[in-house]
Amino acid sequence: MTTGLRTFNVLFLCADNSARSILAEALLNRLGAGRFQAFSAGYGVAEAVSPHALALLEKINYNSDRVHAKQMVAVMDAADPGFDFIIRLSPDRRGSARMPQFSGTPVIVDWHMPDPADISGAAATACADIFNLLAARLDVLANLSEACLTGPRIQTRLDRMGEDSVRLAA
């Protein structure tokens, strides 16, 4: 069954693709099912997805077999579906000032968030805080009209959504 609505491709990037971007991918695929196809990758790659992120995905009955840590090159070139949006959840720690070349002209947005693994002794709580913040932002994104998503002010709107301060419980 087709809905007649356009599908938007969204890539979430973070340092290691172990928690933040994995959660964002799963949430948008759930909240925006049919309208959004979400992907995630890291500038580098973690050995495994965070067990705290996997536990959160299990709580929402998300098939965690579908997620795995991968490096950015895994979603480039032939695997690049033509991203409409690239949302960076952390700065590129490789020291590169340039964004890698993806096909098309994606809207690039920074929603930098702390890495839950960096919060000593409270990674599970920090991961849950990030999950809740992402859920709120992505619920808004998933419910924007196609006209808004393709309009001239979408960059500003998404940038403003990322201005909310992130305070993690410690």
Side-chain angles (χ1 to χ4, degrees):
M1 177 175 90
T2 63
T3 63
L5 297 174
R6 176 178 167 195
T7 300
F8 293 89
N9 293 314
V10 181
L11 173 63
F12 294 98
L13 285 174
C14 72
D16 298 319
N17 193 220
S18 64
R20 294 165 287 191
S21 53
I22 293 285
L23 293 172
E25 173 187 7
L27 280 164
L28 188 57
N29 279 332
R30 171 70 57 83
L31 295 168
R35 290 194 62 220
F36 291 88
Q37 177 65 44
F39 303 82
S40 69
Y43 300 111
V45 65
E47 290 181 22
V49 174
S50 159
H52 306 298
L54 290 174
L56 287 167
L57 295 180
E58 286 178 24
K59 283 185 179 181
I60 64 167
N61 295 319
Y62 192 85
N63 182 356
S64 60
D65 292 340
R66 297 170 55 185
V67 297
H68 62 281
K70 60 203 150 305
Q71 197 163 17
M72 188 170 37
V73 295
V75 294
M76 295 178 76
D77 300 327
D80 182 345
F83 295 109
D84 298 289
F85 303 97
I86 297 176
I87 300 176
R88 298 183 289 200
L89 299 174
S90 71
D92 185 348
R93 294 183 192 168
R94 299 171 307 155
S96 174
R98 283 191 33 192
M99 181 69 180
Q101 190 63 41
F102 288 93
S103 68
T105 54
V107 173
I108 299 171
V109 181
D110 289 322
W111 287 356
H112 294 171
M113 300 177 181
D115 186 343
D118 291 344
I119 310 300
S120 178
T125 302
C127 204
D129 289 346
I130 288 190
F131 178 88
N132 291 331
L133 179 65
L134 284 168
R137 288 180 185 178
L138 295 174
D139 185 50
V140 171
L141 177 64
N143 286 293
L144 292 174
S145 69
E146 184 172 336
C148 182
L149 290 165
T150 58
R153 301 203 292 179
I154 189 61
Q155 176 82 52
T156 303
R157 184 171 198 147
L158 294 177
D159 284 341
R160 285 194 178 148
M161 285 172 60
E163 290 174 358
D164 295 339
S165 63
V166 180
R167 280 182 253 140
L168 301 179

